[in-house]
């Protein structure tokens, strides 16, 4: 009896071990991002003028202080087929509703929220601004929303329009739903007239000066259920350049907040650093903006977080030359000082003439968030990558407006050029040391490495050797976290200069070669996994059952150098927007290509060969690792109406990743094909979120 019990126990242990090693997909805890967003409150005030259905036209005298104003409206929104003017102030403001083209995602990305019938009714307010910097003369600055993003798209809503002199913002039912950053001011007449459409607008009031909105404190904060492939809440909100840092057990992720794919502030960008952080990668916190825009001349460029004088800081560039000629900025003064003294000066930009431009930084007041601008200009470059090297020296890689490596004993000026020829190119470059190797990677191209003990002139071009690790992320930031792990974070372009946040973990081989894999802590949660096929012996197709899913399969390489496999992702329109992931194990190459039903996709180029991984469309990666023996492929396909397509994130053998974005692709069907390459254990699981 005892022997039988022992045998039974042994069998149970073997089954459990088998499941742990081979079987069920691991259960993952959900990621939670605690948001700082909340409703907004506008205090009651004395309106300068008010309109109603009984008094639908009015005239008012604008006060001398007209730098800000607020308009409150009570409206009955309808999904109109024709343009309806809700409110007009001639030559100043037009508020209207209209039906937007469902295929037009330029700037506002209104198709992010379609109505059930696919139509895109929109509410939009266009403010005419006059600026001496705009050669085209007065320009209308529109802000707006697709009505379908409202809980109740049609019916009664409170709409508030607020111009602060810096921001032009639309609130609906106390929620901030769109804004832009002003360049110029409206031109009011001595007497201004305005009118409403009484069939839509029940009440309108205008206030001078504007009523500053106040945040409503929430007892229970709002949350998001994911961080991987995340974008800020809204229809036209994106993650831009990312900068990361690990300090006292906390991973900080700063990103340039982007609306309209760089088209805000009349195309000047109006980027600024927002801030997320986490201590365990499962619960994330959204903090107040680290570098908010507070002046019309501000539009910010990429920098880096760093520690100086035991304080958490973030450097960034003032891209003021996008707005004003260089001669009107502080750049000539800074270069004059450098050319005279051989080192950069330190200038408080609120005490010198000219519009501030160049490198500056902010300091965290509590070591976690609460950043405050120093208003100190320390270098004329406009994308400063400041870091403390492993020897404790303060260094900077100069990008945009300057070049080379610089050093200083203080962040506040005194920067001298220590290597004017390196890096030789690449925007938004980042330095990091991992073990016995030093690395520098550029934002889009350019990757160099050397042994840590070697001199600065020994950096080797990794792109020329095909040994880079560009995987689709734009402006990738590298940070070492706990346990000697390194993370790579960046953005995937979906709307001009913005897209989704993506984070991968890095791997390093003994010879210093770097690859990437998924970070297990943040893999999106899935529904129950199901098997599609034990083995693919001939070209086979399957319905996905969901447009967002995790797909896994095992690969047996075979012996033929030309052997390959293809996983084809198809939408309702067949080949039109199809994408094929193609892997050639023995040739150690993989690619995204244009999908075809009858044939493998044509060969694509790697970065070394002239391809463009950061374009995230069709490209190849080469020199794969561990594909000469059986390996596993994992793919996540993420579709959102906001994306207007699918992000496809592929991990190969746990050693390399590659990412693509496919506009207009909503996957419904998979097709597998192979040539002298085995495909086994094909499984799929729908994403929960």
């Amino acid at each position: 009896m005892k022997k039988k019990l022992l045998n039974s126990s042994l069998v149970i242990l073997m089954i459990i071990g088998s499941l742990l090693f081979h079987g069920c997909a691991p259960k993952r805890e959900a990621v939670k991002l605690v948001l700082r967003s909340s409703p907004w409150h506008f205090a009651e005030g004395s309106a300068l003028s008010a309109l109603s259905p009984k008094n639908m036209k009015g005239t008012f005298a604008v006060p001398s202080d007209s730098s800000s104003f607020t308009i409150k409206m009570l409206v009955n929104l309808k999904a109109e087929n024709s343009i309806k003017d809700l409110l007009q102030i001639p030559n100043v403001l037009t508020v209207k509703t209209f039906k937007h083209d469902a295929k037009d995602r330029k700037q506002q990305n209104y198709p992010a929220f379609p109505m059930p019938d696919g139509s895109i009714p929109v509410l939009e307010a266009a403010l005419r601004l006059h600026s001496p910097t705009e050669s085209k003369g007065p320009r209308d600055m529109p802000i707006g929303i697709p009505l379908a993003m409202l809980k109740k798209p049609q019916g009664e809503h409170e709409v508030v329009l607020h111009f602060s002199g810096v921001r032009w913002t639309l609130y609906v039912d106390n929620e901030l739903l769109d804004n832009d950053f002003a360049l110029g001011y409206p031109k009011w007449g001595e007497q201004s007239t305005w009118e409403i459409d009484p069939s839509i607008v029940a009440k309108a009031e205008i206030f001078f000066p504007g009523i500053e909105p106040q945040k409503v404190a929430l007892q229970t904060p709002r949350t998001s259920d994911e961080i991987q492939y995340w974008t800020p809440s809204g229809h036209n909100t994106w993650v831009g350049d990312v900068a990361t840092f690990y300090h006292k057990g906390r991973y900080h992720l700063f990103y340039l907040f982007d609306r309209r794919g760089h088209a805000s502030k009349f195309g000047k960008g109006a980027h600024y650093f927002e801030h997320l952080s986490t201590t365990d990668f499962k619960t994330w916190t959204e903090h107040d903006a680290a570098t908010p825009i507070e002046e019309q001349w501000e539009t910010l460029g990429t920098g880096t977080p760093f520690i100086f004088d035991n304080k958490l800081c973030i450097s960034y560039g003032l891209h003021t030359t996008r707005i004003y000629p260089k001669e009107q900025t502080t750049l000539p003064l800074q270069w004059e000082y450098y050319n005279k003294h051989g080192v950069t000066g330190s200038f408080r930009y609120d005490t010198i003439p000219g519009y501030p431009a160049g490198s500056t930084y902010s300091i965290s007041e509590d070591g976690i968030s609460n950043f405050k601008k120093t208003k100190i200009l320390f270098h004329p470059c406009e994308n400063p990558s400041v870091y403390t090297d492993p020897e404790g020296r303060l260094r900077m890689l100069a990008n945009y407006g300057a070049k080379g490596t610089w050093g200083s004993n203080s962040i506040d000026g005194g920067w001298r050029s220590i290597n004017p020829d390196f890096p030789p190119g690449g925007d938004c470059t980042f330095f990091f040391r991992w073990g016995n190797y030093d690395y520098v990677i550029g934002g889009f191209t350019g990757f160099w490495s050397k042994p840590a003990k070697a001199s600065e002139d020994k950096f080797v071009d990794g792109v020329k050797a095909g040994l880079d690790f560009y995987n689709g992320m734009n402006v990738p930031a590298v940070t070492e976290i706990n346990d000697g792990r390194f993370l790579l974070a960046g953005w995937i372009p979906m709307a001009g200069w913005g897209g989704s946040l993506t984070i991968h973990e890095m791997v390093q081989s003994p010879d210093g070669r770097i690859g990437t894999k998924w970070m297990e802590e943040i893999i999106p949660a899935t529904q129950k996994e199901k098997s599609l096929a034990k083995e693919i012996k001939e070209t086979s197709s399957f319905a996905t059952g969901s447009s967002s899913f995790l797909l896994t399969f095992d690969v047996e390489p075979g012996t033929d150098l030309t052997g390959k496999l293809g996983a084809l992702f198809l939408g309702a329109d067949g080949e039109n927007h199809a994408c094929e992931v193609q892997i050639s194990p023995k040739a150690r190459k993989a690619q995204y290509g244009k999908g075809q039903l009858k044939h493998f996709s044509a060969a694509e180029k790697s970065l070394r060969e002239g391809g463009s991984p950061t374009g995230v469309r069709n490209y190849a990666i080469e020199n794969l690792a561990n594909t000469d023996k059986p390996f596993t492929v994992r793919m996540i396909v993420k579709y959102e109406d906001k994306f207007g397509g699918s992000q496809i994130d592929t991990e190969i053998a746990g050693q390399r990743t590659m990412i693509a974005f496919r506009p207009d692709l909503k996957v419904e069907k998979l097709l597998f094909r192979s040539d002298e390459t085995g495909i086994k254990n094909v499984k799929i699981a729908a994403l929960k979120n």
Side-chain angles (χ1 to χ4, degrees):
M1 181 69 176
K2 184 180 289 186
K3 186 175 181 180
K4 286 184 178 179
L5 287 172
L6 286 171
N7 288 339
S8 298
S9 300
L10 183 60
V11 170
I12 291 170
L13 287 171
M14 289 174 65
I15 291 171
I16 292 172
S18 177
L19 286 172
L20 288 172
F21 188 77
H22 296 290
C24 304
K27 184 178 180 181
R28 298 186 180 91
E29 297 178 16
V31 171
K32 182 172 74 171
L33 169 58
V34 180
L35 302 170
R36 62 179 172 84
S37 69
S38 72
W40 295 82
H41 171 68
F42 285 83
E44 296 299 322
S46 179
L48 181 64
S49 180
L51 301 178
S52 68
K54 292 183 178 180
N55 184 28
M56 60 185 188
K57 293 183 180 181
T59 302
F60 56 89
V62 178
S64 56
D65 182 9
S66 59
S67 59
S68 69
F69 69 90
T70 301
I71 293 176
K72 293 183 178 181
M73 304 167 62
L74 191 62
V75 302
N76 185 23
L77 295 176
K78 301 174 184 177
E80 302 281 0
N81 288 319
S82 59
I83 297 174
K84 292 284 186 179
D85 291 326
L86 280 65
L87 180 148
Q88 290 188 71
I89 304 176
N91 299 314
V92 175
L93 174 66
T94 300
V95 184
K96 60 185 178 181
T97 58
F98 59 93
K99 187 167 286 188
H100 185 75
D101 182 353
K103 295 182 180 181
D104 181 5
R105 290 183 175 270
K106 294 177 182 176
Q107 298 188 13
Q108 284 294 79
N109 197 38
Y110 288 139
F113 289 87
M115 297 287 272
D117 65 357
S119 64
I120 314 292
V122 164
L123 168 68
E124 189 172 89
L127 181 66
R128 183 161 297 175
L129 297 176
H130 299 252
S131 171
T133 69
E134 288 297 294
S135 59
K136 296 180 181 179
R139 298 182 65 181
D140 289 344
M141 178 172 279
I143 50 176
I145 59 165
L147 297 189
M149 74 183 299
L150 302 175
K151 290 181 179 179
K152 187 179 69 171
Q154 303 189 65
E156 188 175 278
H157 295 275
E158 183 183 52
V159 175
V160 177
L161 298 167
H162 179 63
F163 178 76
S164 69
V166 176
R167 288 176 172 82
W168 169 227
T169 310
L170 167 66
Y171 301 81
V172 180
D173 300 331
N174 302 315
E175 299 288 346
L176 193 165
L177 298 184
D178 194 20
N179 71 348
D180 203 340
F181 292 88
L183 194 56
Y185 291 87
K187 187 171 289 186
W188 304 92
E190 291 185 9
Q191 292 286 323
S192 291
T193 61
W194 67 325
E195 64 178 303
I196 58 171
D197 181 341
S199 68
I200 304 174
V201 182
K203 184 180 181 181
E205 299 174 297
I206 189 166
F207 302 84
F208 288 92
I211 304 171
E212 284 301 313
Q214 302 297 319
K215 269 194 168 184
V216 176
L218 295 174
Q219 290 185 344
T220 302
R222 295 169 174 171
T223 60
S224 173
D225 295 327
E226 58 186 18
I227 193 70
Q228 189 72 301
Y229 321 127
W230 175 81
T231 62
S233 177
H235 61 290
N236 59 2
T237 47
W238 308 100
V239 172
D241 291 359
V242 171
T244 57
F245 198 68
Y246 192 73
H247 178 56
K248 294 184 177 180
R250 182 177 293 270
Y251 179 72
H252 295 267
L253 190 148
F254 302 87
Y255 69 93
L256 291 184
F257 182 89
D258 177 273
R259 284 193 193 266
R260 304 174 183 86
H262 207 293
S264 289
K265 199 187 279 276
F266 296 138
K268 308 303 189 291
H271 294 123
Y272 61 94
F273 271 120
E274 288 281 6
H275 180 202
L276 310 173
S277 77
T278 181
T279 56
D280 61 4
F281 297 96
K282 303 305 294 186
T283 300
W284 295 67
T285 300
E286 183 177 37
H287 303 285
D288 288 338
T291 61
I293 289 180
E294 297 168 311
E295 304 286 348
Q296 284 203 4
W297 53 262
E298 284 183 299
T299 181
L300 310 185
T302 310
T304 50
F306 61 97
I307 296 294
F308 181 72
D309 196 21
N310 295 317
K311 295 176 182 177
L312 176 61
C313 309
I314 182 168
S315 65
Y316 54 98
L318 301 176
H319 279 305
T320 318
T321 50
R322 292 177 181 170
I323 302 173
Y324 294 96
K326 181 179 179 180
E327 294 73 23
Q328 294 183 29
T329 72
T330 58
L331 291 176
L333 174 65
Q334 294 176 76
W335 280 117
E336 180 183 1
Y337 186 97
Y338 173 74
N339 290 331
K340 182 177 180 180
H341 299 279
V343 295
T344 67
S346 178
F347 302 91
R348 281 275 311 203
Y349 64 64
D350 55 350
T351 64
I352 57 176
Y355 292 102
S359 300
T360 185
Y361 71 105
S362 293
I363 301 175
S364 169
E365 295 186 326
D366 59 8
I368 296 176
S369 57
N370 298 316
F371 284 84
K372 184 177 180 181
K373 295 176 181 177
T374 62
K375 300 185 178 180
I376 292 173
L377 296 170
F378 63 85
H379 195 285
C381 95
E382 296 178 57
N383 273 2
S385 292
V386 177
Y387 62 98
T388 302
D389 73 9
E391 286 72 37
R393 299 170 299 189
L394 196 60
R395 292 286 185 262
M396 181 184 73
L397 303 179
N399 307 284
Y400 188 61
K403 65 177 184 177
T405 305
W406 299 66
S408 179
N409 294 324
S410 169
I411 182 66
D412 297 333
W415 291 88
R416 65 195 181 281
S417 175
I418 58 176
N419 192 342
D421 299 319
F422 184 82
D427 200 9
C428 306
T429 47
F430 292 91
F431 167 91
F432 64 101
R433 175 173 291 175
W434 190 348
N436 296 321
Y437 293 89
D438 288 343
Y439 306 89
V440 173
I441 186 169
F444 305 98
T445 61
F447 171 64
W448 304 271
S449 65
K450 71 174 183 65
K453 293 181 180 179
S455 59
E456 295 290 324
D457 60 350
K458 299 301 182 183
F459 273 101
V460 175
D461 190 328
V463 172
K464 285 184 178 180
L467 298 177
D468 63 276
F469 55 92
Y470 285 100
N471 65 352
M473 292 186 197
N474 281 232
V475 192
V478 178
T479 296
E480 182 179 5
I481 60 169
N482 55 309
D483 300 326
R485 300 166 71 189
F486 279 72
L487 299 185
L488 181 75
W491 58 279
I492 304 304
M494 296 176 173
W497 210 264
S500 67
L501 170 67
T502 303
I503 303 170
H504 285 174
E505 187 168 349
M506 302 168 72
V507 295
Q508 185 191 46
S509 61
D511 64 357
R513 172 79 190 280
I514 286 180
T516 50
K517 65 179 181 178
W518 288 355
M519 186 182 190
E520 294 296 327
E521 292 95 324
I522 61 172
I523 294 175
T526 61
Q527 308 284 356
K528 186 177 180 180
E529 183 183 73
K530 67 176 183 179
S531 175
L532 294 181
K534 291 288 186 182
E535 185 174 3
I536 302 292
K537 295 184 177 181
E538 58 185 22
T539 299
S540 305
S541 60
F542 308 91
T544 61
S546 172
S547 57
S548 297
F549 53 87
L550 166 65
L551 177 71
T552 65
F553 56 89
D554 298 326
V555 179
E556 293 189 351
T559 59
D560 196 324
L561 186 65
T562 63
K564 58 188 174 183
L565 66 89
L568 182 63
F569 298 91
L570 296 155
D573 53 359
E575 287 186 350
N576 284 350
H577 299 99
C579 172
E580 182 192 70
V581 177
Q582 188 182 120
I583 302 173
S584 302
K586 287 293 184 178
R588 299 191 299 153
K589 199 166 184 178
Q591 68 172 45
Y592 288 106
K594 178 175 170 52
Q596 302 177 68
L597 286 169
K598 295 183 179 180
H599 309 284
F600 282 99
S601 60
E604 299 292 340
K605 294 180 179 180
S606 67
L607 181 60
R608 178 185 63 85
E609 297 166 330
S612 176
T614 54
V616 294
R617 298 298 191 268
N618 298 329
Y619 69 93
I621 60 173
E622 55 186 332
N623 292 312
L624 298 178
N626 293 352
T627 58
D628 57 342
K629 55 189 176 183
F631 62 93
T632 298
V633 174
R634 298 193 289 179
M635 300 182 191
I636 288 178
V637 177
K638 174 77 170 179
Y639 173 85
E640 285 190 15
D641 283 330
K642 179 177 181 177
F643 295 174
S646 296
Q647 180 172 336
I648 305 176
D649 187 354
T650 301
E651 180 197 66
I652 302 169
Q655 296 291 309
R656 291 294 300 276
T657 59
M658 56 189 305
I659 307 162
F661 173 63
R662 316 305 289 201
D664 300 311
L665 175 61
K666 186 175 185 180
V667 179
E668 296 184 356
K669 188 176 178 181
L670 301 171
L671 185 147
F672 285 92
R673 56 166 66 100
S674 67
D675 182 4
E676 301 295 330
T677 302
I679 304 173
K680 293 185 175 181
N681 303 319
V682 183
K683 299 175 183 179
I684 193 170
L687 301 189
K688 280 188 175 180
N689 302 311

